[in-house]
C-alpha cells in the first residue's frame, strides 16, 4: 500500500483528569492512507486519545497538528474541523428521534449546507454500500446493534472526512453482529482511508492494521507492524497483555476448523468474549493487574 | 334545583363568553411567556452557566414554593407603593409568567437531564455547532420526555387564572360572583362549570393525545 | 422604612392575628391531606382493581377534578350548597370538603400508580415463600408501595398548602385574608403596609413549602431505584 505525506502529528500530548494523568506526553505521526490500530489495557488512555483528536476533551499540554492546522489552538473552529475528522463511538449514538436516513442527512444538510437532492444522493450511495438503503426509513430502535453501528459509520463517512476515528465500535455489540461491522471497516481500509482504530478484536487488528500501537499508562509502549507485534512483541508489558487473550484461547475446547476463514471467525468471537471479561473491570484505574 | 331557567342561561351566556375570552387571552399570554422564561432558566441550569444558574435556581424555588395569589397581591397591591404601578391585565400576565416560568423550567430541565451526554458528543462530532446540537438533537428529544410535565403545567396554569378577579379583572369567577346577586345560583354555577370545561377540556385532551403519540414514537434507542 | 414595617406588625394584635390566620391555613391543609389519605387509599385500590364501570366512573371523577379550577369548586359548593339548598355549612367545612374532594382524587391516582407499578412477581414470589395473604400485603406490598407513594403525597401536601389562599374568596380568615384586613386598616397610617404584610406572607409560604419540597426531592433521589 502506498502511503502519502504525514497527515496527523501528535507531539508530547498531555491530558489529565484532575490529578490523574491519562496521557503523559504522547507522540505519534500518522501518514495519509495509513491504518493504525491502537490497543492496550482498559484505562491506558487510548479512548481519551481519540476524544482529544476530536476536540471532545481539553488537553493540558503538547500539540496536535492535523493537515497543517493546530488542533490545540484554543481558537480553532471545531465545527469546521470535525467535518474533516470523522468519529464513531462505542455506543452507536444514533439520534433516536430521526430515521436512519435523517441521521445521515443531518450533517450533510445542516453542517455542510448541501441541497436536499445532493445530500440524498450521497446518503444513498453510502447506505447502499453498507447494505442498509432499504432500511433508510427505520428508526434506530427498529435496527439491530450491528445495523445501528453501520449507520453511525455512514453518518460520519458521508461528510467525507480525511481521517476516521473508531472508538471500540464493536465493544457493545452481540458477538454475532461484530463481523458485519468489522467488514465495513476492512472495506474502508482497502479504499486507502486513513483510520485510527481503538479495538479489542485482536484477529481484526491483525488483519486490518498497517501499524499496531500498544499503549499502557498514558504512553505508547510499542509501535510496530502487526506481524511483528503479534508474533514477537518487544516488551514484557505487551506480552502480558496479549497473554490475556491467549489465556482465554487455551481454556476453550478447540474446535477442529477446516478453513482458515472459519478459524478467523472463531478468533473474532473468542477475543470478543475475552474483551467482555476485560471490560467488566473497566474503570479509571490505569493499571491492569 | 327543580328546573333550569333556560332564559336566564341564554341571556347571561354572552357575559361568560366575554369573560372566557379574557381568561383565554391572559392564559395564552402568560403560558407562552412562562414557556420562554422556563426555557431560558432550564438552559442556564442545564449548562450550569455561572451566576445565571444560581439566579435561576433561586427564582425557581421562590416561585414554586409560594402561591400565585400571594404573588399577585404583592405585585398588585405591594409594588405600586414602591412606585411600580401596574394595570390589572399586565399584572395578571406577569404573575402567571412568574409562577409558570418556574414550573416550565423544571419540566424542561427534566427533559434535558434525560438526554444521554453521548448524544451531545455525537452531534458535535459530525460538526454541528452548540446551537444546532440544541436545535436538532437535544430539543426534540427533551421535548418528548418533558411533555407530560409540560402538559400538567399548562393545565395547572389555566386553572390558576381563576384567581385573576383579585386584580380587578372581569374574568369568569368575577362574572359568576356578580351574577349571584341576582339569585339563580344553580344556573350561574352551571354556566361557570361549562365555561371552564369548554376552555380547559380541549387543551387537556389535546395534550393527552400528543403525549400518547410521543410515547408510541418511543425514542428509546 | 424598616420602622414602618415594625410598626405595622406591632400595631394592635396584628402579629397574633396573622399567626391565627396561618393556623387556619395549616388546619385546612393538614385536615384535608389527612382526609384525602383516608379516602384516597381505597379509591386508589378501586382504580387499580378490576371493576371496569367503577374504574371509568372514578376516572371521570379524577378528570373532572383535574380540569375544574379548585376555586370554581369552592365557589360552587359554598354558594350552591349553603345558600341555595339551605344546608348551612361554614366556610371552613366547605373548604375542607372541596380540598378533600380534590385531594382524594389525586391521592387515589397516586395510590393506583404505586400499586400498578409494582411488578406482578412481587405477589407471586411472596406467596411462593408461603406467606399468608395478610403477610403478603403488610410485609411485602405495602412497604414498597409506601416508598413509591411518599414523595407524591408530600408533593400533594405542598400543593394543598399553596392552594389554601383560595379560601380568601369565601371570606375565611386565612393568612392572606387577615393580611388584607390588616393592610386595609393600617394602610392609611403606613403607606408601605401592603409591601410589608404581603411580603411577609410570601416569605411565610416559602419558609413552609421550601423545606417540604426539599425533603420530597431527597426521598425521590434516595428511593429512585
Amino acid at each position: 500500500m502506498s502511503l502519502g505525506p504525514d497527515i496527523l502529528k501528535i507531539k508530547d500530548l498531555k491530558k489529565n483528569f484532575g490529578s490523574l494523568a491519562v496521557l503523559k506526553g504522547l507522540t505519534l505521526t500518522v501518514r495519509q492512507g495509513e491504518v493504525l490500530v491502537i490497543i492496550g489495557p482498559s484505562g491506558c488512555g487510548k479512548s481519551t486519545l481519540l476524544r482529544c483528536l476530536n476536540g471532545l476533551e481539553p488537553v493540558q499540554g503538547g500539540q496536535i497538528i492535523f493537515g497543517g492546522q493546530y488542533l490545540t489552538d484554543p481558537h480553532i473552529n471545531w465545527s469546521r474541523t470535525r467535518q474533516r475528522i470523522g468519529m464513531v463511538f462505542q455506543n452507536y449514538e444514533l439520534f433516536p428521534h430521526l430515521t436512519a436516513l435523517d441521521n445521515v442527512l443531518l450533517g450533510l444538510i445542516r453542517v455542510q449546507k448541501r441541497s436536499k437532492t445532493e445530500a440524498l444522493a450521497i446518503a444513498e450511495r453510502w447506505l447502499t454500500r453498507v447494505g442498509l438503503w432499504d432500511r433508510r426509513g427505520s428508526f434506530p430502535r427498529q435496527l439491530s446493534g450491528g445495523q445501528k453501528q453501520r449507520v453511525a459509520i455512514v453518518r460520519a463517512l458521508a461528510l467525507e472526512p480525511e481521517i476516521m476515528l473508531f472508538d471500540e465500535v464493536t465493544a457493545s455489540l452481540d458477538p454475532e453482529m461484530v463481523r458485519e461491522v468489522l467488514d465495513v471497516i476492512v472495506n474502508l481500509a482497502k479504499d486507502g482511508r486513513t483510520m485510527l482504530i481503538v479495538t479489542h478484536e485482536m484477529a481484526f487488528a491483525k488483519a486490518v492494521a498497517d501499524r499496531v500501537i500498544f499503549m499502557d499508562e498514558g504512553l505508547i509502549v510499542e509501535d510496530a507492524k502487526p506481524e511483528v507485534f503479534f508474533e514477537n512483541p518487544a516488551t514484557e508489558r505487551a506480552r502480558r497483555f496479549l497473554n490475556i487473550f491467549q489465556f482465554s484461547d487455551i481454556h476453550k475446547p478447540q474446535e477442529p476448523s477446516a478453513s482458515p476463514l472459519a478459524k478467523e471467525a472463531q478468533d473474532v468471537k473468542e477475543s470478543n468474549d475475552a474483551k467482555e471479561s476485560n471490560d467488566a473491570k473497566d474503570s479509571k484505574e490505569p493499571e491492569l493487574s | 334545583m327543580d328546573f333550569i331557567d333556560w332564559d336566564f342561561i341564554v341571556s347571561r351566556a354572552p357575559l361568560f363568553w366575554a369573560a372566557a375570552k379574557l381568561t383565554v387571552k391572559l392564559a395564552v399570554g402568560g403560558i407562552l411567556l412562562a414557556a420562554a422564561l422556563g426555557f431560558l432558566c432550564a438552559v442556564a441550569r442545564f449548562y450550569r452557566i455561572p451566576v445565571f444558574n444560581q439566579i435561576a435556581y433561586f427564582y425557581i424555588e421562590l416561585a414554586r414554593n409560594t402561591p400565585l395569589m400571594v404573588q399577585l397581591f404583592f405585585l398588585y397591591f405591594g409594588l405600586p407603593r414602591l412606585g411600580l404601578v401596574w394595570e390589572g391585565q399586565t399584572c395578571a400576565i406577569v404573575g402567571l409568567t412568574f409562577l409558570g416560568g418556574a414550573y416550565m423550567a423544571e419540566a424542561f430541565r427534566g427533559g434535558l437531564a434525560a438526554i444521554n451526554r453521548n448524544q451531545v458528543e455525537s452531534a458535535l462530532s459530525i460538526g454541528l455547532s452548540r446551537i444546532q446540537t440544541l436545535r436538532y438533537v437535544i430539543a426534540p428529544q427533551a421535548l418528548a420526555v418533558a411533555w407530560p410535565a409540560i402538559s400538567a403545567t399548562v393545565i395547572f396554569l389555566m386553572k390558576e387564572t381563576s384567581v385573576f378577579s383579585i386584580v380587578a379583572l372581569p374574568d369568569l369567577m368575577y362574572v359568576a360572583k356578580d351574577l349571584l346577586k341576582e339569585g339563580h345560583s344553580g344556573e350561574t354555577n352551571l354556566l361557570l362549570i361549562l365555561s371552564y370545561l369548554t376552555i380547559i377540556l380541549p387543551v387537556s385532551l389535546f395534550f393527552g393525545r400528543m403525549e400518547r403519540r410521543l410515547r408510541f414514537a418511543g425514542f428509546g434507542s | 422604612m424598616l420602622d414602618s414595617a415594625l410598626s405595622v406588625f406591632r400595631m394592635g394584635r396584628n402579629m397574633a392575628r396573622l399567626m391565627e390566620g396561618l393556623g387556619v391555613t395549616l388546619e385546612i391543609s393538614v385536615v384535608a391531606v389527612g382526609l384525602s389519605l383516608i379516602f384516597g387509599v381505597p379509591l386508589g385500590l378501586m382504580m387499580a382493581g378490576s371493576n371496569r364501570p367503577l374504574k371509568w366512573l372514578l376516572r371521570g371523577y379524577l378528570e373532572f377534578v383535574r380540569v375544574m379550577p379548585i376555586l370554581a369548586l369552592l365557589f360552587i359548593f359554598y354558594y350552591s350548597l349553603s345558600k341555595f339548598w339551605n344546608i348551612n355549612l361554614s366556610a371552613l367545612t366547605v373548604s375542607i370538603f372541596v380540598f378533600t374532594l380534590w385531594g382524594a382524587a389525586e391521592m387515589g391516582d397516586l395510590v393506583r400508580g404505586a400499586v400498578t407499578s409494582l411488578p406482578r412477581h412481587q405477589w407471586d414470589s411472596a406467596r411462593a415463600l408461603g406467606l399468608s395473604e395478610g403477610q403478603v400485603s403488610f410485609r411485602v406490598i405495602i412497604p414498597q408501595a409506601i416508598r413509591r407513594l411518599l414523595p407524591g403525597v408530600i408533593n400533594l401536601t405542598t400543593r394543598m398548602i399553596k392552594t389554601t389562599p383560595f379560601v380568601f374568596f369565601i371570606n375565611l380568615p386565612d393568612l392572606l385574608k387577615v393580611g388584607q384586613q390588616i393592610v386595609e386598616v393600617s394602610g392609611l397610617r403606613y403607606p408601605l403596609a401592603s409591601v410589608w404584610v404581603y411580603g411577609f406572607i410570601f416569605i411565610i409560604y416559602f419558609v413552609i413549602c421550601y423545606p417540604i419540597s426539599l425533603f420530597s426531592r431527597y426521598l425521590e433521589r434516595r428511593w429512585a431505584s
Side-chain angles (χ1 to χ4, degrees), chain B residues 1 57 61 64-67 69 73-74 77-78 81 103 159 162-163 165-166 177 180 185 189 193 200, chain C residues 65-68 71 75-76 79-80 84 162 165-166 169 191 194-195 198 202 205-206 209-210 213 217:
Chain B
M1 211 183 332
Y57 176 82
E61 294 304 332
R64 276 171 60 91
N65 287 298
T66 47
M69 270 183 74
F73 264 74
F74 189 77
F77 300 108
R81 295 288 172 179
Y103 283 86
K159 290 164 70 176
S162 61
V163 304
S165 60
I166 57 166
K177 194 160 187 176
L180 272 183
S185 73
N189 287 331
I193 291 178
I200 301 180
Chain C
V65 171
R66 278 205 175 146
V67 168
M68 280 308 281
L71 182 55
F75 192 81
I76 289 163
Y79 290 105
S80 287
F84 185 78
K162 285 181 286 178
F166 285 7
F169 283 86
S194 60
V195 177
Y198 297 137
F202 185 87
Y205 271 103
F206 181 76
C209 292
Y210 181 57
S213 66
R217 240 177 293 166

Side-chain angles (χ1 to χ4, degrees), chain C residues 38-50:
Chain C
I38 293 171
F39 292 111
V41 171
L43 276 178
L45 293 176
M46 283 188 261
M47 283 172 170
S50 49

Side-chain angles (χ1 to χ4, degrees), chain A residues 217-264:
Chain A
E217 298 187 3
L219 286 170
I220 294 176
V221 180
E222 286 197 40
D223 179 345
K225 297 241 168 241
E227 51 277 17
V228 175
F229 178 78
F230 286 108
E231 300 311 322
N232 195 12
T235 61
E236 176 58 28
R237 272 194 276 183
R239 208 166 298 136
R240 266 211 323 261
F241 177 72
L242 288 173
N243 259 340
I244 298 169
F245 298 92
Q246 279 320 114
F247 185 74
S248 90
D249 271 353
I250 291 164
H251 278 69
K252 300 264 157 125
Q254 206 69 51
E255 275 173 21
S257 53
S259 76
L261 201 73
K263 173 76 182 94
E264 192 186 290

